[in-house]
Amino acid sequence: MTRLIGEQDYTTVAQDLLTRAAKQGATAADVMVADGETLSVQVRMGAVDRLTKAREKRLGLRVFFGQRSASASTSDFSRDSLERFVAETCALAQAVVEDPVSGLPEPGQYAADFPDLNIHDPTKLQTDQQIDLALRAERAAFAADPRITNSEGAECDSSSGRIILANSHGFLGHYANSSFSLSVSPIASDAGGMQRDYWYGVDRAFAKLESPEAIGREATRRTVRKLGARKVPTCCAPVIFEAEVAGGLLGHLCGALSGYALYKGASFLIGQLGKQIAPDFVTIYDDGRMPGGLGTRPFDGEGLPTRKQAVVERGRLMSYLLDTYSGKKLGLPSTGNASRSIGESPSAGPTNFYMVPGTTRPEDILASVKQGLYVTDLIGFGINMVTGDYSRGASGFWIENGELAYPVEEITIAGNLTQMYANIEMIGTDLVFRGRIASPTVKLAEMTIAGN
């Protein structure tokens, strides 16, 4: 019988590797161990189309020889293999050039508290349960409107896992997490053509996931409303970003705030710390300890404590997103935003990154526009992060006298992110987290809309 490796065993493995690395001459090292299991089910037109089940464990080692360092990973936890793994990683580190800012965070900076952040639900879904959930979502989508004539399928995923991080400065931390998601993508058709859209739910806790029927009905509502879409004449007009796509504006902000983009000169926000970049009613947080958040964790990829911090406060840029390395490059302390894959060096990224909701209901934002665009989908990646120039394909609805008049497609919206953040005119009340980055509905005063 195969003995399951427990948390204590992984801790022993990690500490053993740190000892072996020190014996090889490493001046510092850290080890990250991750294990987990995933189950993914996709159905299409009432039949199971794909089923994937996996359980895996991986270990990543980063070693330092003074200011030389290297990282590597393995999934072979046998004693002989780990012996070779440590020796090979140490040899790699000694072969690279010195980097004067490399190294672990200083002792005394590491997370000392590990509160229960409600990011792990022990619920274990069986394969039949996930198939049933996906089938119910797809059936609900078909039942909601006779114009749903086809489907790209429904998918139900579940995962759970553990992370253990240890380093030669004495830090040892671990946490468990889970996620459950359900989505469906129906296709609608009428005499004017076909349209596709989707809807989904995702949460750390299975009990908080929307019902398959609710997800199916919403997917259909979003799909059939796009039937009869057309182009609009090229113009400049107010643009409202539906909450689902408004998160993309924050995603671009995250990229520009990354310490790596900043020290490489690849961000339009270089030199903007402390300056006004948006109206004073705009506040944006990064909160690594939001209970149940999809980006929540007690410590970052280097073992530093996560926290809630105002990135933009009343329109003023208050913080970048930094790990230790990018912080040193910029002469700033880490913000606890180290993100890391097994066997890779840390980089900087958001945890739960969101715009604080405003006081105006989405329907009142819509009513404020005489003629303009309501964006529900964005296509392509026409963004220059150095200059902030922004140009993306879009679809959604044309607004006439405060109401959605007709669906539109095959148009492009263009601007510059610096101006777009400055031109935020209204923020909705409808903040819902379906990912690590979330935003309420956002209205921009004006953008260029390219159509006919």
Side-chain angles (χ1 to χ4, degrees):
M1 179 178 175
T2 302
R3 186 171 66 90
L4 294 177
I5 297 179
E7 207 162 77
Q8 186 59 46
D9 293 306
Y10 284 144
T11 300
T12 303
V13 169
Q15 292 176 329
D16 179 55
L17 260 63
L18 294 175
T19 300
R20 294 187 196 206
K23 287 181 178 176
Q24 295 274 341
T27 53
D30 63 8
V31 178
M32 180 173 276
V33 187
D35 81 346
E37 54 186 346
T38 60
L39 174 60
S40 178
V41 170
Q42 184 179 47
V43 304
R44 182 177 175 275
M45 303 300 285
V48 178
D49 199 42
R50 177 174 54 80
L51 198 159
T52 305
K53 193 172 188 176
R55 180 175 178 84
E56 63 177 1
K57 62 179 189 295
R58 289 183 63 80
L59 179 153
L61 172 66
R62 182 170 58 147
V63 296
F64 296 88
F65 283 73
Q67 294 173 322
R68 305 175 191 270
S69 70
S71 299
S73 67
T74 181
S75 57
D76 186 348
F77 282 41
S78 66
R79 186 174 183 82
D80 290 345
S81 174
L82 289 178
E83 186 75 43
R84 292 193 301 273
F85 173 69
V86 173
E88 290 167 1
T89 308
C90 288
L92 285 174
Q94 294 174 85
V96 302
V97 298
E98 290 188 347
D99 186 336
V101 299
S102 69
L104 296 177
E106 295 298 321
Q109 294 183 300
Y110 295 99
D113 62 326
F114 305 95
D116 182 1
L117 298 171
N118 295 321
I119 56 175
H120 181 244
D121 177 357
T123 301
K124 186 176 177 64
L125 297 181
Q126 301 302 312
T127 305
D128 288 348
Q129 282 180 279
Q130 291 195 200
I131 292 173
D132 180 61
L133 291 167
L135 288 172
R136 285 167 55 191
E138 191 182 51
R139 281 198 298 266
F142 273 100
D145 195 293
R147 290 171 290 180
I148 299 299
T149 57
N150 204 339
S151 165
E152 290 192 349
E155 188 164 333
C156 183
D157 298 330
S158 65
S159 68
S160 64
R162 294 176 294 174
I163 297 289
I164 294 171
L165 178 64
N167 69 28
S168 55
H169 285 344
F171 174 78
L172 174 63
H174 57 83
Y175 60 88
N177 56 29
S178 61
S179 72
F180 303 86
S181 66
L182 181 62
S183 64
V184 60
S185 303
I187 297 172
S189 61
D190 66 4
M194 300 174 65
Q195 292 288 347
R196 168 199 169 277
D197 209 325
Y198 70 99
W199 192 240
Y200 66 103
V202 57
D203 209 290
R204 294 286 194 188
F206 175 64
K208 292 183 179 179
L209 205 60
E210 287 180 88
S211 74
E213 288 72 23
I215 290 172
R217 287 192 296 269
E218 177 63 10
T220 289
R221 186 190 74 82
R222 295 175 65 84
T223 302
V224 298
R225 68 177 182 170
K226 296 168 72 173
L227 288 169
R230 52 186 165 170
K231 289 186 179 181
V232 293
T234 296
C235 62
C236 288
V239 174
I240 298 174
F241 289 82
E242 185 185 47
E244 279 297 301
V245 293
L249 295 177
L250 297 188
H252 305 320
L253 185 63
C254 286
L257 292 174
S258 163
Y260 288 77
L262 290 160
Y263 82 71
K264 291 177 180 176
S267 168
F268 61 90
L269 289 177
I270 292 172
Q272 296 300 302
L273 198 61
K275 296 184 178 178
Q276 197 82 18
I277 65 167
D280 61 6
F281 54 84
V282 176
T283 293
I284 298 170
Y285 284 108
D286 184 68
D287 186 358
R289 295 204 170 188
M290 177 188 296
L294 291 164
T296 298
R297 48 191 173 159
F299 54 85
D300 74 355
E302 296 180 298
L304 303 191
T306 52
R307 58 188 176 182
K308 180 178 181 178
Q309 56 188 334
V311 176
V312 176
E313 187 170 24
R314 297 188 63 78
R316 192 178 299 276
L317 181 59
M318 304 301 292
S319 177
Y320 295 137
L321 301 177
L322 306 172
D323 64 347
T324 298
Y325 185 88
S326 62
K328 286 181 180 177
K329 281 281 192 180
L330 296 168
L332 296 168
S334 170
T335 57
N337 284 98
S339 178
R340 189 174 184 180
S341 299
I342 298 297
E344 301 290 337
S345 296
S347 59
T351 56
N352 300 295
F353 194 89
Y354 66 96
M355 183 182 291
V356 174
T359 57
T360 310
R361 297 181 306 164
E363 53 267 39
D364 292 332
I365 294 178
L366 184 66
S368 73
V369 177
K370 185 175 182 181
Q371 284 193 321
L373 179 65
Y374 184 77
V375 179
T376 60
D377 289 286
L378 290 168
I379 306 162
F381 302 95
I383 301 160
N384 185 328
M385 294 302 289
V386 177
T387 63
D389 288 342
Y390 179 100
S391 178
R392 299 190 68 185
S395 61
F397 297 85
W398 190 249
I399 303 168
E400 292 281 0
N401 299 317
E403 296 183 352
L404 301 182
Y406 52 85
V408 296
E409 62 182 0
E410 297 182 28
I411 55 177
T412 300
I413 55 174
N416 180 279
L417 286 168
T418 303
Q419 283 301 316
M420 289 165 66
Y421 297 135
N423 286 343
I424 293 175
E425 196 171 83
M426 301 176 83
I427 301 173
T429 55
D430 52 338
L431 177 66
V432 176
F433 285 88
R434 287 192 174 84
R436 292 190 302 154
I437 301 174
S439 171
T441 295
V442 170
K443 176 190 174 187
L444 303 190
E446 186 177 271
M447 288 187 74
T448 299
I449 302 165
N452 288 321

